[in-house]
Amino acid sequence: MANRKVIAVGLDSPNNSVFEKWMDQGLLPNLAALRNESSCGIVSHRKINNDQNSWIPFLTGKSLQNIDHWLSTYQPRNYENSENSLYNAHGHQPFYAVKGQARVVMFDLPVPITDNVDGIQIAGWATELNETFSASIPPSAITEIHEKYGMDPKLDGALKYYNQEFERYSLSYQVPSPYDIGALRLFRDKVLASTATRGRICRDLLQSEDCDLFLTEFPETHTAGHTFWHLSQSHPLAGLSADFGPDPLLQIYQAVDHEIGLIAEMVGPNDELIVFSVDSLTADCLEIARSLFLPEFLYRWSFPGKAALAAGAAGTTPPQPRLDYLMHWKHEIWELRTGDGDRDLQSPKEQADHNDPFNWQPTNWYKPVWAQMKAFALPSIADGYIRLNVKGREARGVIDAADYQRTCDEICSRLSELVDPRTGRALVDRVIQTRRDPFEIDSRNSPADLIVLWQDESPVDVVDSPLVGRIGPVPYFRPGGHQKQGTKIDNFFMVRAADCSPEKPFAEGNLEDLPATILNRMGLDIPEHFDGRPLRFILDTAYAANA
């Protein structure tokens, strides 16, 4: 049984350098004060593939190397892809599934609920994902939350979708255009309201529920990073910040800081408070490349002389970026379709009417012609996914298996020619081939044959190819984004407890070590299947010398 109560609070994807700077400047006073009272440490992770979710190592204690979980599934027999949400099971119980050993209260982590937990689990109130499934154990808990505190303010006006795979309805809110200052202000206010309500729910649960482990997270830092990066940090659209007013990213970080300060006041002297981060966002350099430039390039390569979206004249000086894109990004991109695109692509509205959760991503609009293309892009996150249309593997393949490697090489060569005409910089960093044999079957492997890693030095709105011409300029997508595959991401954690202090920092480790550390701090055994191990204190000689 647990011998110590732990309250663990996560921050989802705050930019770590910005976060540390604002703490040092006194702009996040409660977290800075907590840092001065805690043992601190760094746990890192690298995504083996960017469609892997950074929360999985924390939730399961397993390394991403040993987790089989992809954003989407793909069936070559019918060219169908479906969403594989983090809410979907990935074969591993959450680390707090310790039935009979501890009572747990979990509020709104991005994870499916499970039977192997004593206590309360509430999921899907206001996660970062803009497709939300609400569920709880006991089933009445989420209903009581909605009745007492209301729905997530961001869900005001949300669309309702029926998810065929989960056989249930979900709600999906729409993120405003990064160019629409009025809509951004309204959305900022909703995120702030969501933060305040989340804090109140957490405090009320802490006060009313006796537990050994309380777990929650603030996803608002993730949402804010995607939506407001350009109004706070370096970005081609940073000039819009003069019209917006106060820094909205800072405002939301400060709102989270305030709520964590109130939670910290409720933690007793014999209990432990752990504050941690998972993942880190930065300026988005990847989303337009993988969701628009890549599928359009493959379309033009497969159908010489045709262009579906954003046709332009390569070799000319690109026009100055426009600032009048006020519709949602998918609608603005759909307005850039050609006659070929109108005939061949499926519109985002039609896909939304069919409850396709990928309707927002242009990659998905090319589905009607996947069977006719030599290769096509699959929906993905950050990195580009290319699937070759191989005879004998795909239902209507057009590439002979004997030509598989030659075709992979040709695609890689042509991708290396893609250039941002504004800077002269290559768009593609490198391409990873996932299999040498197109018929190789391994559930741990990506459904893509080629994974494209993009340059991440600056956002790009137009690209030139000597083979297929110019694509763009196009409106920028969400200003903040994820980092490319293989990037080392540092996540911080702080532990305030009787045996902790800044003079006793923790040794650095991996993100999967954090759940093992929490169980260890509670006095519980670490499951044998965990990859992570409890982190130990180290002597900070530099601190001791200056003390």
Side-chain angles (χ1 to χ4, degrees), residues 286-303:
L286 314 177
E287 301 288 356
I288 296 177
R290 55 92 180 164
S291 62
L292 174 56
F293 293 153
L294 181 62
E296 177 63 15
F297 166 81
L298 292 171
Y299 174 89
R300 297 185 191 183
W301 174 69
S302 294
F303 306 124

Side-chain angles (χ1 to χ4, degrees), residues 13 19 88 167 201 267 290 329 366 374 407-408 472 497:
S13 303
F19 180 79
N88 203 3
E167 297 183 338
I201 295 171
V267 180
R290 55 92 180 164
W329 188 73
Y366 295 79
K374 293 185 289 184
T407 306
C408 286

Side-chain angles (χ1 to χ4, degrees), residues 216-247:
T216 193
E217 62 130 347
F218 282 85
E220 289 80 13
T221 46
H222 191 153
T223 304
H226 278 313
T227 311
F228 300 113
W229 183 270
H230 63 309
L231 302 175
S232 174
Q233 305 297 314
S234 177
H235 190 275
L237 298 181
L240 293 172
S241 61
D243 296 327
F244 187 90
D247 183 336

